[in-house]
Amino acid sequence: MKLKSFEIKKILIPIDFSETALLAIEHGAFMAKLNKADIILVHVLEHNWQNFNIVAPEIKFEKPANVLTIIEEKLKIVAEKIRKDYGVNSICISSEGNICKEIVQLAESENADLIVMGTHGASGFEEFFMGSNSYKVVTLSPCPVLTVQSHSRRVGFSEILLPIDNTGHSRQKVAYTIELAKKYGARIHVLGLLDEEDTQDLSKFNLKIEQVKEFIEKNEIPATAEIKVGGNQAKNTIVFAKQHNADLIAIMTDQEENFTGSFLGAYAQQIVNHSWVPVLSIKPVENPDNISWTYPYN
């Protein structure tokens, strides 16, 4: 069966000139070179610009009118370095407003195929009530989002973790993951996640996981498969990633049917905020039964 092509021709990278943003640029530029894609560098200046020097103290300015000019100059420097180091075309966009809203709107208007952005993670009060900016973008983005934490210094993917739970939309990411694995020459580790109350379906679930593994291998991608029953699924995923030296985790954005980014304990939120390796978050298709590549097995 023919897979839907996950073509990456435009990569949008929001930057605030922080350490994780610069790491996101490295990951995004490498991916752009691999896919012969263009890069869109974006900086969004929040309305409360007075706090900007706290977020990015390396940028100095005297008057508010100078802020966007200085930002645009720094963006041009970054774009030129990307062109020099990776041979990738880059354009720069600066705007003012709500960070998450502006990024999502730009991804739509620029027809971005992928957003690559750094995340500082979130915990405690922030995770319960707001979540990180990255998580908010992940939940609202019209395209897949690759989030990168400060630990993600190794560029490129060789071991991709593909968690699969018992929901139908969880399997939609199989095609995307296969396409990435082909590009990077990576192996895929399928991790079946089953709740303890669903153990009566263990044999059926095991068959599904094996079918996913077989489908991956039919696409000439090496794969492994394992099932974890019970416990915190996000924690199981992160621990498994460390044990198998995974350098990418592929998830769906709505494991918890909550698109506000404020539900503590949600699988996707915990993974995006706490994973030490990059996370590819994919928005589910509303009517998967109408798309054959979504379910490559019975």
Side-chain angles (χ1 to χ4, degrees), residues 142-178:
C143 62
V145 180
L146 180 70
T147 48
V148 179
Q149 288 236 23
S150 59
H151 313 284
S152 309
R153 297 186 177 278
R154 185 173 62 184
V155 176
F157 310 123
S158 58
E159 307 288 341
I160 301 176
L161 174 54
L162 179 64
I164 300 288
D165 60 29
N166 215 12
T167 61
H169 67 249
S170 178
R171 289 167 283 170
Q172 291 182 23
K173 57 183 173 280
V174 174
Y176 289 92
T177 308
I178 287 175

Side-chain angles (χ1 to χ4, degrees), residues 14 16 44-46 96-105 117 133 137:
D16 58 2
V44 180
L45 179 63
E46 289 190 281
E96 187 174 357
N98 177 275
I99 292 177
C100 300
K101 183 178 179 180
E102 289 293 314
I103 291 172
V104 170
Q105 288 181 343
M117 65 187 300
N133 279 329
V137 171

Side-chain angles (χ1 to χ4, degrees), residues 54-255:
I54 298 176
V55 178
E58 66 272 25
I59 301 179
K60 304 296 183 182
F61 55 86
E62 297 178 357
K63 298 179 181 179
N66 295 338
V67 177
L68 285 178
T69 299
I70 294 173
I71 289 171
E72 288 167 358
E73 288 300 317
K74 288 190 70 69
L75 285 175
K76 289 177 182 178
I77 292 173
V78 175
E80 182 56 36
K81 180 172 174 54
I82 290 174
R83 282 190 288 268
K84 181 179 178 181
D85 293 348
Y86 296 91
V88 173
N89 181 51
S90 302
I91 65 171
C92 306
I93 298 177
S94 59
S95 64
E96 187 174 357
N98 177 275
I99 292 177
C100 300
K101 183 178 179 180
E102 289 293 314
I103 291 172
V104 170
Q105 288 181 343
L106 284 169
E108 291 177 343
S109 63
E110 297 293 328
N111 294 316
D113 301 301
L114 178 71
I115 295 175
V116 180
M117 65 187 300
T119 175
H120 303 286
S123 59
F125 180 92
E126 183 184 18
E127 184 168 21
F128 185 85
F129 287 99
M130 296 174 291
S132 66
N133 279 329
S134 299
Y135 182 77
K136 292 176 185 177
V137 171
V138 165
T139 59
L140 298 172
S141 172
C143 62
V145 180
L146 180 70
T147 48
V148 179
Q149 288 236 23
S150 59
H151 313 284
S152 309
R153 297 186 177 278
R154 185 173 62 184
V155 176
F157 310 123
S158 58
E159 307 288 341
I160 301 176
L161 174 54
L162 179 64
I164 300 288
D165 60 29
N166 215 12
T167 61
H169 67 249
S170 178
R171 289 167 283 170
Q172 291 182 23
K173 57 183 173 280
V174 174
Y176 289 92
T177 308
I178 287 175
E179 288 291 306
L180 279 180
K182 286 181 177 179
K183 288 283 186 181
Y184 285 93
R187 174 169 53 179
I188 297 176
H189 300 278
V190 181
L191 175 62
L193 299 170
L194 191 67
D195 292 329
E196 288 183 353
E197 56 266 28
D198 295 329
T199 51
Q200 66 272 16
D201 297 325
L202 181 57
S203 59
K204 183 178 179 181
F205 184 65
N206 183 66
L207 177 61
K208 290 180 180 179
I209 297 303
E210 284 300 316
Q211 287 176 331
V212 172
K213 178 177 179 289
E214 289 173 7
F215 182 71
I216 293 170
E217 291 175 335
K218 284 181 180 179
N219 281 273
E220 301 180 346
I221 303 295
T224 67
E226 188 173 329
I227 292 177
K228 294 289 184 181
V229 178
N232 182 298
Q233 292 188 348
K235 183 177 180 180
N236 287 341
T237 301
I238 293 172
V239 169
F240 186 92
K242 291 182 179 179
Q243 291 174 340
H244 292 76
N245 296 316
D247 39 34
L248 177 68
I249 302 175
I251 66 171
M252 305 303 292
T253 60
D254 75 335
Q255 297 285 340

Side-chain angles (χ1 to χ4, degrees), residues 40-57:
I40 305 169
L41 296 175
V42 175
H43 180 88
V44 180
L45 179 63
E46 289 190 281
H47 289 306
N48 54 336
W49 65 269
Q50 295 91 338
N51 295 328
F52 187 76
N53 62 335
I54 298 176
V55 178

Side-chain angles (χ1 to χ4, degrees), residues 6-27:
F6 178 29
E7 290 187 313
I8 302 176
K9 297 302 179 185
K10 286 187 179 181
I11 300 176
L12 188 148
I13 308 178
I15 64 173
D16 58 2
F17 306 101
S18 65
E19 179 185 10
T20 53
L22 297 179
L23 281 174
I25 290 172
E26 291 184 26
H27 282 271

